[in-house]
Amino acid sequence: MRVDIQEKLRLALGSVKDHASIGKAMIHNHHDGFSDIEIAVLRATGHDNCPVDDQHMHEILFLVSNSPGSIPFLAERISRRLCKTRDRMVALKTLVLIHRLLRGGNRSFEKQLRGAHVSGHLQMSTRCFTKNPDPSVCFLHKYAAYLEERMGWLINQAGKLEPVMPKGLEFRYYEEKSIGMVFRKLPKCQLLLDRVLDCSPLDILPSDNLAQAAMSNTLKESFQLCLTLCEGVAALVNMFFDLTRPARALACDILKRASQQSQKLHDLYENSKRIIENKNLEYPSVQIITMEHVMALEQCLPCSQNLQRPAISHGSVFYKTTGDSAAHVLGCLSKSTKTQVATAAKEGKMNENNNNDISSSSSTLFSCALETKISMVWVVFDEDDPNQSQGSVTSILI
């Protein structure tokens, strides 16, 4: 009963604050015509318990598209709303709005919003909640950290997430493109996956619809990261014995981290299936990477200098390997991994026979198949209410 009274009091005071803020924005009437954008932000992040309304998000996108130079103003007003509030629901709605705008805008808007974040106009600080031990506040901090890292990623024309790479990265050989993908893209993928793993569904109450919607949106993007991790690990294993010794050491570090993440990702999805009430989520297959085979690869490092000879001109990181033992280990580790990723990318699901081989054979990098299906669809943000079943689905272009 006491909790209900406190909640009603919070909503009543919050409604008064929202009306006062909107009235102040109307009276201020910015000379540059941006007052409508501020009002739309305030309405989208009100003190009520309702999810972020699509109408408010589309209104913001419409106003920004018709007001050149307004994105820095939008970023400042969102940051101001987040930094000044002491209400957890308002802070979480503001973060969800940022996430939705990243997904809902076109590539030009996404690029400009990322630029506003780099320049400091868009800030996602939740320091004002640091003294609160509430688990829901812990999720708020972790979700903000995820969005901070998410700002370094974009959605390509195929609807897939990919990291923003610095301009001017040119590769002289086809193999160097592969090495760039592994040693540049894969660590970024693992860093974003770490932020996903921090967002534990155990900190979310079943009645907290807003937090459930935020976690659902995060999970949807993690499905793409899971596939990217699987492809990157397969590429890394296939090229392992074509790398120099320092590159092999770095590859082993990446594989060790991937081994830990695969287990944690499996646990995250299992907990999310029980807690997150969103039936639209199609969880991918998570293959647990065994540490035994990573350690077997690491044992090849001391003798690698005897197996190498230069194969490409000055500045290359590649060499050719000789010796039956190297070829044997490479064949054992890469065969099933390569087949698995190719099948997941082209057909969108795992072959049951390959799954049986993976779980029973010691000649694969993966210990067992925990699922039998990888989703081949990318689900665009649906309604924030996780109980609703509407949403648009588009095929992934591999």
Side-chain angles (χ1 to χ4, degrees):
M1 185 65 181
R2 181 180 178 184
V3 176
D4 293 339
I5 295 176
Q6 290 180 345
E7 181 66 15
K8 291 180 179 179
L9 182 61
R10 185 192 72 82
L11 291 175
L13 293 176
S15 178
V16 173
K17 290 180 181 179
D18 291 339
H19 282 86
S21 299
I22 293 174
K24 183 179 179 181
M26 289 179 175
I27 296 174
H28 194 278
N29 193 11
H30 299 277
H31 298 290
D32 46 18
F34 293 162
S35 59
D36 290 339
I37 297 177
E38 182 176 5
I39 294 172
V41 170
L42 293 171
R43 287 175 175 170
T45 59
H47 286 74
D48 55 81
N49 294 329
C50 300
V52 176
D53 194 341
D54 281 345
Q55 180 180 354
H56 296 316
M57 186 194 71
H58 292 309
E59 181 183 2
I60 293 174
L61 292 174
F62 174 78
L63 293 171
V64 169
S65 64
N66 289 277
S67 303
S70 60
I71 291 184
F73 175 84
L74 170 65
E76 289 177 355
R77 286 301 177 267
I78 291 177
S79 301
R80 181 180 178 183
R81 182 68 163 169
L82 181 60
C83 294
K84 293 187 66 175
T85 187
R86 296 299 181 268
D87 190 287
R88 183 192 68 87
M89 294 296 292
V90 174
L92 184 56
K93 290 179 76 171
T94 306
L95 293 175
V96 171
L97 177 63
I98 296 173
H99 203 174
R100 295 289 299 276
L101 289 174
L102 277 174
R103 292 290 304 171
N106 56 28
R107 298 191 68 181
S108 176
F109 174 84
E110 182 184 7
K111 181 179 180 180
Q112 294 183 61
L113 192 62
R114 190 184 310 111
H117 177 257
V118 173
S119 64
H121 290 90
L122 179 61
Q123 299 179 7
M124 289 172 279
S125 173
T126 56
R127 291 193 300 267
C128 58
F129 298 95
T130 53
K131 296 182 180 180
N132 194 329
D134 191 343
S136 60
V137 175
C138 293
F139 175 79
L140 179 70
H141 294 309
K142 295 171 182 177
Y143 185 52
Y146 169 76
L147 291 181
E148 286 276 3
E149 189 65 33
R150 171 65 173 80
M151 279 291 176
W153 289 67
L154 55 83
I155 302 174
N156 60 22
Q157 295 179 349
K160 298 175 63 177
L161 277 175
E162 63 179 27
V164 179
M165 306 301 293
K167 294 183 179 180
L169 290 178
E170 298 180 357
F171 304 98
R172 299 172 59 185
Y173 300 96
Y174 172 78
E175 289 83 0
E176 290 182 351
K177 293 182 181 180
S178 298
I179 204 73
M181 181 270 180
V182 171
F183 288 102
R184 290 189 177 95
K185 184 176 181 179
L186 191 54
K188 288 180 176 291
C189 174
Q190 291 183 314
L191 185 58
L192 188 57
L193 269 178
D194 282 338
R195 303 287 81 80
V196 173
L197 295 171
D198 289 339
C199 298
S200 173
L202 301 176
D203 297 332
I204 301 176
L205 297 175
S207 59
D208 193 346
N209 293 332
L210 186 58
Q212 290 239 353
M215 188 65 194
S216 296
N217 295 335
T218 304
L219 287 171
K220 290 173 186 176
E221 295 187 337
S222 76
F223 299 160
Q224 280 287 321
L225 298 175
C226 183
L227 181 60
T228 301
L229 178 68
C230 184
E231 294 173 345
V233 168
L236 190 60
V237 171
N238 289 335
M239 69 174 63
F240 184 82
F241 289 101
D242 292 330
L243 301 175
T244 59
R245 184 177 181 181
R248 289 189 188 185
L250 180 58
C252 286
D253 292 337
I254 293 176
L255 289 175
K256 288 179 182 179
R257 188 176 181 183
S259 177
Q260 298 173 354
Q261 287 181 325
S262 62
Q263 180 62 61
K264 293 180 180 179
L265 200 60
H266 168 257
D267 296 339
L268 173 71
Y269 289 164
E270 290 300 315
N271 291 329
S272 298
K273 290 175 184 178
R274 294 185 293 101
I275 299 174
I276 304 302
E277 300 175 356
N278 190 335
K279 298 180 180 179
N280 290 330
L281 295 176
E282 298 184 25
Y283 293 88
S285 173
V286 179
Q287 304 296 331
I288 298 180
I289 304 174
T290 61
M291 283 297 297
E292 288 77 7
H293 287 95
V294 178
M295 298 302 294
L297 286 173
E298 195 172 33
Q299 290 176 0
C300 299
L301 294 179
C303 59
S304 61
Q305 286 183 332
N306 298 327
L307 301 176
Q308 64 178 354
R309 60 181 178 85
I312 300 179
S313 59
H314 177 71
S316 173
V317 296
F318 290 89
Y319 61 80
K320 295 294 183 180
T321 59
T322 58
D324 296 336
S325 59
H328 174 71
V329 176
L330 178 60
C332 290
L333 289 172
S334 64
K335 183 178 180 180
S336 60
T337 307
K338 183 177 180 181
T339 303
Q340 175 197 18
V341 175
T343 305
K346 294 181 180 179
E347 301 178 7
K349 62 181 181 179
M350 302 299 299
N351 184 278
E352 295 182 357
N353 294 331
N354 286 341
N355 284 337
N356 293 333
D357 293 339
I358 292 173
S359 60
S360 60
S361 174
S362 61
S363 62
T364 175
L365 187 65
F366 303 105
S367 61
C368 61
L370 302 174
E371 298 286 342
T372 58
K373 178 181 178 183
I374 285 185
S375 170
M376 70 175 298
V377 296
W378 175 254
V379 183
V380 182
F381 279 152
D382 50 15
E383 295 292 336
D384 278 317
D385 187 354
N387 294 319
Q388 295 183 3
S389 60
Q390 295 180 352
S392 58
V393 179
T394 55
S395 297
I396 296 178
L397 303 178
I398 300 300

